[in-house]
Amino acid sequence: MKRIVLLITAAFMVMALLPLLSAHGEPSADRIIEESSSSAASAAVSEPSDPSPDAQSDEENCFTVWDTGSQQTVRLKDDEFMVGALAYEMPPTYEKEALKAQCIACYTHFCRLRNQQKEHPDETLQGADFAADLSAGQYYLSPSLLQEKWGEKYEDYLSLMKQVVSECQFTVLSDENGQLPDVCYHAISPGRTENAEDIFGFPCPCQSGVPSPWDRTAPGFQTVVKVPEKELFDRLHEEDPETDKFSPDQLIGDSQTTSAGTVLTIRLGTKDYSGTTLREWFGLRSAAFTLSYADGMFIFTVSGYGHGVGMSQYGANAMAAEGIDAAGILSHYYPGISLKTSSITAH
């Protein structure tokens, strides 16, 4: 155990030599990694360790994770966790300011969970801030998983991610009341982001819908899923036997959608179904779709990728490519927010 602590301490000292720049002045549903032009020297990369129980000092800010795979509590320093969390959410080939925006939004999310557990502990978490299956790469990609994912690009990509995390260190989003908002993000919007209340049922002023026209140029912005007639009828029959009384061309009724195009409800036969339900049943990239029938197939024409609330990661990347910095990206997708340094104290 002492040897592990010494190794981690040495790694932290090397990381501390990286420039700590301010971030003042985020795709989760689509993690295709492209070739990078990064040429960071491997000597600048300090190797982090894979998570292990109780491997971190109590004197440092840490995220405590209940690992559902190992059924153990794992502690990871904030900056070490954020490298793996950022890599989980956004490809390293995205623009640096987009990565910084994602890092800040992601850090805000997990800091909020940590605060909630301090104020209202959930006994099922065994004293942890949140739960994740770390071995499966849920929410956080360990160094070994990153090596497998990035291959020969590992050192370059790791150096970049560490630099982004360093430049954003302890920066979080703050709402008009000075609290950490419950921020969301997604891969590609339908061309406009959604109001949180429409999708999740709770009001969140900093996550009201805003235009995101960049997404319309995203690869895979529009996808088509064809479902055989029998497959759809069999699935609907499980919910409503009356479905069988309808012919395929009579089945599709009226739908209710948000201003961005997400289907709230659609009438199929005699019953209304949520867009989210149909998305789950038929593997759609989002619930923003239109439905038609032709030649024995029900055809879903889908726009975007993800739930559509909060920051569009593709939109953030396009904004960064236009020269907009992380603060500008975040203020666009989260109206009314400000940036501040987290006051989280050590565990």
Side-chain angles (χ1 to χ4, degrees):
M1 181 64 70
K2 290 182 178 179
R3 183 178 180 184
I4 294 175
V5 173
L6 288 173
L7 288 172
I8 294 174
T9 302
F12 179 78
M13 290 176 66
V14 174
M15 289 177 63
L17 296 177
L18 297 174
L20 299 179
L21 305 178
S22 173
H24 298 275
E26 93 182 53
S28 59
D30 186 8
R31 304 188 184 90
I32 298 174
I33 305 302
E34 302 171 355
E35 288 301 305
S36 169
S37 60
S38 172
S39 59
S42 60
V45 180
S46 55
E47 290 291 331
S49 58
D50 281 324
S52 58
D54 302 321
Q56 307 301 332
S57 168
D58 287 338
E59 297 177 358
E60 296 167 334
N61 285 336
C62 295
F63 284 109
T64 305
V65 186
W66 175 249
D67 183 0
T68 58
S70 67
Q71 293 291 294
Q72 293 180 305
T73 297
V74 174
R75 302 189 68 194
L76 293 160
K77 292 182 293 184
D78 281 20
D79 52 0
E80 183 178 353
F81 174 79
M82 281 308 305
V83 168
L86 177 58
Y88 174 84
E89 292 294 349
M90 186 173 277
T93 51
Y94 268 30
E95 297 283 339
K96 188 175 181 181
E97 290 301 312
L99 288 166
K100 289 167 68 175
Q102 178 65 68
C103 183
I104 293 168
C106 190
Y107 188 57
T108 301
H109 170 71
F110 286 106
C111 282
R112 185 174 184 274
L113 293 181
R114 179 162 59 187
N115 284 354
Q116 286 179 329
Q117 287 307 307
K118 287 182 178 180
E119 296 171 3
H120 306 289
D122 181 347
E123 293 183 1
T124 64
L125 293 178
Q126 306 288 325
D129 302 320
F130 54 89
D133 188 346
L134 297 181
S135 61
Q138 184 180 28
Y139 308 139
Y140 165 86
L141 298 179
S142 68
S144 58
L145 290 177
L146 289 177
Q147 286 179 318
E148 180 181 346
K149 184 182 185 70
W150 291 339
E152 63 181 16
K153 294 287 186 179
Y154 173 72
E155 292 181 347
D156 287 349
Y157 286 162
L158 181 62
S159 178
L160 171 63
M161 291 301 197
K162 283 189 173 187
Q163 185 180 25
V164 169
V165 171
S166 177
E167 292 180 11
C168 297
Q169 194 166 35
F170 305 123
T171 302
V172 294
L173 298 172
S174 175
D175 64 19
E176 58 184 9
N177 299 315
Q179 302 299 310
L180 300 181
D182 187 9
V183 296
C184 298
Y185 26 85
H186 58 280
I188 307 170
S189 84
R192 179 180 179 84
T193 64
E194 297 285 1
N195 294 315
E197 188 167 11
D198 290 339
I199 304 302
F200 300 132
F202 62 84
C204 183
C206 76
Q207 291 186 126
S208 55
V210 299
S212 188
W214 308 275
D215 295 310
R216 295 186 179 279
T217 65
F221 168 75
Q222 190 172 89
T223 52
V224 175
V225 175
K226 296 182 178 181
V227 179
E229 175 185 322
K230 184 178 185 306
E231 179 182 342
L232 187 137
F233 268 92
D234 286 348
R235 190 67 185 81
L236 296 181
H237 179 83
E238 296 177 11
E239 305 294 324
D240 180 16
E242 296 293 312
T243 301
D244 297 341
K245 296 181 179 180
F246 291 81
S247 63
D249 55 357
Q250 295 175 331
L251 183 70
I252 304 170
D254 294 334
S255 62
Q256 291 184 323
T257 65
T258 66
S259 58
T262 293
V263 174
L264 298 176
T265 62
I266 183 170
R267 174 60 62 95
L268 297 177
T270 62
K271 186 175 179 179
D272 289 331
Y273 297 86
S274 73
T276 300
T277 295
L278 295 181
R279 180 190 178 191
E280 292 173 354
W281 283 356
F282 302 112
L284 311 180
R285 283 163 65 100
S286 84
F289 61 81
T290 59
L291 179 59
S292 59
Y293 174 79
D295 300 325
M297 298 288 238
F298 285 94
I299 304 165
F300 291 90
T301 303
V302 186
S303 298
Y305 194 1
H307 49 60
V309 178
M311 185 177 71
S312 161
Q313 293 164 320
Y314 184 89
N317 191 52
M319 291 179 73
E322 293 179 359
I324 301 172
D325 65 8
I329 294 168
L330 292 167
S331 64
H332 174 74
Y333 285 112
Y334 304 111
I337 60 89
S338 58
L339 300 181
K340 71 175 184 179
T341 300
S342 173
S343 59
I344 301 295
T345 57
H347 286 220

